[in-house]
Amino acid sequence: MERYSVSVRDLAVGYDGKPVLRNVSFDIGQGEIVTLIGPNGGGKSTLLRSIVRQLETLAGTVEINGRLLNSISARDLARQTAVVLTDRIRPEMTTCREIAAMGRYPYTGPIGILSKEDEMQVDAALKAVEMSDYAQRDFNAVSDGQRQRVLIARAICQQPKIIVLDEPTSFLDIRHKLELLSLLRRMAREQGITILMSLHEIDLAQKISDKILCVENGRPVRFGTPEELFTEDGIRSLYELENGCYDPLFGAVELPGAQGRPQVFVLSSGGTGIPVYRKLAGNGIPFAAGILYTNDLDCHLAHRLACEVVTEEAFCPISDPACARAMALIREVPRVIDAGVKIGPCNSRIRDLILEAKTLGKYGEA
Amino acid sequence: MFAMLSFALLVSAVLNIALGSVQIPLRDIAEVLLRRNDNRMYEDIIWQIRLPRLVMAAVLGGGLAVSGFLLQTFFGNPIAGPFVLGISSGARLAVALTMIVFLDRMQAASSWVLVFSAMIGSLACMGFILLLANRLKHMSTLLVAGIMIGYICSAVTDFIVTFASESDIVNLRGWSLGSFSGMNWENIRAASAIIGTGFALSLLMSKPMGAYQLGEAYARSVGVNIRWFRIALILLSGALSACVAAFAGPISFVGIAVPYLIRRLFNTSRPLIVIPAAFLGGAVFCMGCDLIARTAFVPTELNVSTVTSVFGAPVVIVMMLRRRKAG
């Protein structure tokens, strides 16, 4: 039987005996990246804190590398799991290196003097997060991103098999977010460290994770691959999205488009329409789009933002009904925008549309 | 750095012996200490008055500074200290009660009894503060609560003193203002035993203390048993400040100002360095203040707490201003 890195069975977690989540079960293999997603207050932190024994579990079991969580001694647990928490710490007069060195705690002697080996581990960890140059700086005098990296270095110093991170990307700008996640991915791939974390950025969660855990207060936890869980409806119900939607294919969030009678008809292909769609949606102008092949990038987004999309089967010549519908729309709307449509042998009838728009005096280029 | 502090310690020790209403030349001091001098007067002054007093100032000052640092670690707030949190006042109240009760029944209470009652008083106050700490999450409210407790205890102590008999007052008066005077070697042995043990145990706890500086959750995540750690920390700092309060009465600001100055001086918060350094620093600080208390307005003697406040309070004010700036 495969031994899991983290194995959770029928777990109930919460505060003061009141469960926030119950019947949570999942298994994480070694070196996997598992991300918890879900709305604020949904129980992500509660679950993470329970798994690393910061909180008492209310029911069920947690196994870490095949051993029951409650049977592991504090020191052994500290050698197997390390955490990066959301608690903002403000230690006074402490250098980054001293913070990182705190991760050697489970390995040092009774008064915590670092051995040569410990010093080497600390240096290596600081190097891994590219903070060697800032080692002697005061922890309070570096940026949020650097602080976060120092805390990760601290976790690395524990030489853990599992690192648990609670929203490690909060307070970071996009560059540092990407750097941080690539670092975590490297640790998982190269050293087989299991990563269990919560993220707010569902787009990043979708891209980095091997498995996803959808956590929502009062509802059963869903566990699976990103492909299984990142569906438009899944995300919509998880976060109770009413305005806009999450596009699992693009991994992007879209604001909702305006509804009503179309005011503009957009001609485009191969992604040239996307900025125009977003601008129209942003200005609250309902629009129609066409004639788009069903495999076109524009077609995918137009379905979310436009009030009507005229489509045609991929790689087929434009059919009469599609052409007729597009003509009708062009006659109806006050403006036609050409966002840069490519015309080839299959879709040559687009020229007729452009001609019609020009004769009606509605034609314009984006 | 440690060498510097040790040197400062030595210098202030010598000054403490030499200066006073009777000036003693350095040469005679050395001879008396080595027991090669026959000057009876010098010998009495040094061995019966000045040496006990300065040793007590050093030991108790060191104990106060360490106790302050333990409390600061515990509360994660550099402004916490035995005096500010009202712990000293609680100890003082307990000692005042004990003294009056005991003095009624027998001639004198032994120093152990006084320490024990001070310990109970300080732990009672500490317990009360911890109860409040669970409700008042904010540090500043906690400090206000501590100061209020201090006032209440002082008021009750004053009340007791007011209605105590004449002879008790004489005893209580000098003591309750804070002073290192009137120490005998028996007191010193008791105080050194308690503070020495407390100091050694504090050093042994420096490893979890370092982890605790990153907050409770991180400390727990590296394997610190938070509950035992907190209990141990409270008992230790309580024992240290109670011992000081029992022997010398309330002495203000040493517990805050010295650890702060030491951390600035050494530019670190590592307990393994700060604890011994704070002990030395506290010793130097209290010896210096005691020297000033004795010699500034001869023949009148100030109480030590006045002098420690004069030097300690500005340090604390500077510290708060700097903190505000740092955000």
Side-chain angles (χ1 to χ4, degrees):
Chain A
M1 196 186 100
E2 191 185 350
R3 207 179 71 166
Y4 291 108
S5 200
V6 179
S7 185
V8 171
R9 283 286 163 279
D10 304 320
L11 188 70
V13 298
Y15 295 95
D16 303 324
K18 287 182 201 118
V20 177
L21 298 170
R22 53 178 107 208
N23 295 323
V24 182
S25 296
F26 58 87
D27 297 303
I28 305 175
Q30 199 206 338
E32 279 189 330
I33 299 179
V34 177
T35 307
L36 278 68
I37 60 168
N40 283 336
K44 298 193 294 287
S45 295
T46 315
L47 182 54
L48 286 179
R49 282 173 182 255
S50 302
I51 290 172
V52 292
R53 213 161 69 183
Q54 291 277 346
L55 265 181
E56 296 260 353
T57 57
L58 304 178
T61 58
V62 178
E63 280 181 23
I64 304 286
N65 290 319
R67 285 173 66 196
L68 274 177
L69 183 63
N70 290 329
S71 71
I72 307 174
S73 76
R75 180 176 264 233
D76 276 355
L77 186 64
R79 287 179 176 192
Q80 290 185 37
T81 61
V83 295
V84 175
L85 301 166
T86 41
D87 311 32
R88 296 205 91 180
I89 54 168
R90 285 201 154 269
E92 309 228 343
M93 281 172 248
T94 307
T95 62
C96 292
R97 193 171 193 284
E98 283 172 332
I99 300 277
M102 228 57 102
R104 297 305 295 168
Y105 190 94
Y107 299 92
T108 54
I111 53 171
I113 291 173
L114 298 180
S115 68
K116 266 229 167 68
E117 155 78 12
D118 292 324
E119 302 274 2
M120 268 166 50
Q121 291 285 349
V122 176
D123 288 333
L126 284 169
K127 197 166 171 219
V129 299
E130 289 167 21
M131 283 297 289
S132 303
D133 295 344
Y134 299 89
Q136 297 309 324
R137 287 267 193 99
D138 192 291
F139 186 71
N140 292 328
V142 297
S143 72
D144 285 330
Q146 291 169 330
R147 264 201 280 279
Q148 197 69 332
R149 281 188 282 163
V150 171
L151 288 175
I152 290 175
R154 194 203 64 85
I156 295 175
C157 280
Q158 273 176 259
Q159 294 177 286
K161 299 191 177 67
I162 302 160
I163 295 187
V164 173
L165 307 96
D166 197 1
E167 286 168 19
T169 52
S170 321
F171 312 117
L172 300 190
D173 59 29
I174 184 69
R175 179 190 140 197
H176 289 115
K177 277 180 193 176
L178 292 176
E179 277 178 11
L180 180 84
L181 293 178
S182 341
L183 171 70
L184 293 178
R185 186 150 69 180
R186 266 206 312 282
M187 282 160 51
R189 298 289 175 264
E190 290 166 15
Q191 297 165 50
I193 296 175
T194 306
I195 309 273
L196 178 60
M197 64 180 161
S198 58
L199 284 181
H200 267 312
E201 298 83 356
I202 47 177
D203 49 334
L204 295 175
Q206 184 187 8
K207 285 159 199 162
I208 193 180
S209 315
D210 296 312
K211 299 274 173 57
I212 294 285
L213 202 56
C214 295
V215 177
E216 197 182 356
N217 196 345
R219 288 228 229 149
V221 161
R222 284 174 291 155
F223 182 68
T225 61
E227 295 74 38
E228 288 164 358
L229 293 173
F230 275 86
T231 60
E232 195 181 333
D233 287 341
I235 298 297
R236 189 194 300 279
S237 77
L238 177 64
Y239 286 97
E240 293 173 352
L241 294 183
E242 278 163 13
N243 274 304
C245 62
Y246 181 76
D247 186 323
L249 187 64
F250 290 166
V253 203
E254 290 296 342
L255 292 162
Q259 293 303 312
R261 289 176 64 83
Q263 301 295 308
V264 180
F265 187 85
V266 183
L267 288 159
S268 70
S269 67
T272 56
I274 290 175
V276 178
Y277 298 162
R278 292 211 171 119
K279 200 162 230 169
L280 289 169
N283 289 326
I285 301 169
F287 67 94
I291 300 171
L292 295 166
Y293 283 122
T294 47
N295 66 342
D296 194 310
L297 211 54
D298 283 347
C299 185
H300 186 77
L301 188 63
H303 274 302
R304 299 188 188 286
L305 300 182
C307 34
E308 185 171 347
V309 187
V310 184
T311 61
E312 186 52 78
E313 282 302 313
F315 307 117
C316 295
I318 289 172
S319 63
D320 288 339
C323 195
R325 182 62 198 144
M327 280 296 187
L329 281 166
I330 285 173
R331 286 181 193 125
E332 188 186 319
V333 298
R335 268 177 78 200
V336 175
I337 295 177
D338 181 355
V341 60
K342 280 255 188 298
I343 300 172
C346 280
N347 65 349
S348 54
R349 292 177 83 174
I350 297 278
R351 284 204 190 90
D352 302 343
L353 301 180
I354 294 176
L355 194 66
E356 178 70 12
K358 279 183 175 157
T359 47
L360 292 170
K362 297 173 178 176
Y363 183 82
E365 285 179 12
Chain B
M1 278 297 186
F2 274 104
M4 238 176 67
L5 272 180
S6 308
F7 182 70
L9 189 75
L10 192 72
V11 169
S12 41
V14 170
L15 285 178
N16 260 303
I17 297 179
L19 300 180
S21 45
V22 178
Q23 311 275 354
I24 305 177
L26 280 180
R27 190 184 163 77
D28 289 309
I29 294 174
E31 283 173 4
V32 168
L33 287 179
L34 297 168
R35 304 220 183 247
R36 287 207 198 118
N37 193 305
D38 296 333
N39 187 330
R40 284 294 300 173
M41 187 184 77
Y42 282 173
E43 195 162 324
D44 280 354
I45 290 177
I46 290 178
W47 282 103
Q48 298 307 319
I49 299 172
R50 289 200 187 155
L51 202 56
R53 183 170 179 157
L54 89 90
V55 171
M56 207 57 166
V59 169
L60 297 184
L64 261 187
V66 172
S67 163
F69 181 65
L70 297 184
L71 286 172
Q72 284 144 26
T73 307
F74 184 89
F75 287 105
N77 186 335
I79 209 141
F83 193 79
V84 172
L85 289 176
I87 295 163
S88 298
S89 310
R92 178 173 165 235
L93 171 60
V95 174
L97 278 172
T98 320
M99 268 178 139
I100 287 173
V101 170
F102 267 81
L103 286 170
D104 273 356
R105 293 186 190 156
M106 53 193 88
Q107 275 313 302
S110 84
S111 46
W112 291 105
V113 172
L114 289 185
V115 172
F116 187 72
S117 58
M119 180 89 192
I120 288 177
S122 69
L123 286 181
C125 265
M126 191 89 85
F128 195 64
I129 288 167
L130 289 180
L131 271 182
L132 291 176
N134 279 337
R135 301 228 176 144
L136 310 172
K137 286 286 174 211
H138 215 275
M139 271 303 153
S140 49
T141 40
L142 187 67
L143 291 174
V144 172
I147 291 164
M148 289 304 136
I149 291 171
Y151 275 123
I152 293 169
C153 290
S154 301
V156 176
T157 312
D158 289 344
F159 183 80
I160 293 170
V161 170
T162 311
F163 289 97
S165 61
E166 288 294 322
S167 61
D168 292 346
I169 291 172
V170 179
N171 264 318
L172 268 175
R173 192 83 196 141
W175 170 82
S176 71
L177 289 174
S179 164
F180 295 121
S181 66
M183 297 298 171
N184 59 41
W185 288 102
E186 205 257 11
N187 292 150
I188 291 178
R189 266 192 292 278
S192 308
I194 295 167
I195 288 182
T197 316
F199 175 69
L201 291 176
S202 308
L203 273 183
L204 285 179
M205 281 181 62
S206 60
K207 183 180 168 183
M209 277 171 78
Y212 196 77
Q213 284 172 340
L214 295 194
E216 195 181 314
Y218 278 112
R220 193 185 289 119
S221 83
V222 290
V224 179
N225 186 329
I226 296 293
R227 179 182 296 178
W228 286 113
F229 170 75
R230 294 181 67 143
I231 291 174
L233 205 60
I234 279 295
L235 285 177
L236 257 182
S237 60
L240 286 171
S241 51
C243 179
V244 177
F247 286 109
I251 293 169
S252 49
F253 291 108
V254 179
I256 304 176
V258 172
Y260 173 74
L261 289 174
I262 291 295
R263 285 189 305 184
R264 282 250 141 226
L265 200 64
F266 284 74
N267 199 19
T268 183
S269 290
R270 281 187 63 194
L272 198 56
I273 295 170
V274 176
I275 291 172
F279 189 89
L280 286 179
V284 172
F285 188 81
C286 281
M287 285 193 324
C289 287
D290 191 39
L291 184 67
I292 294 169
R294 278 199 299 126
T295 55
F297 299 100
V298 183
T300 313
E301 193 169 299
L302 298 171
N303 68 64
V304 184
S305 201
T306 311
V307 185
T308 55
S309 301
V310 166
F311 288 101
V315 172
V316 175
I317 291 168
V318 168
M319 171 173 126
M320 283 162 72
L321 290 177
R322 274 179 176 268
R323 249 173 93 72
R324 168 81 39 101
K325 218 186 291 169

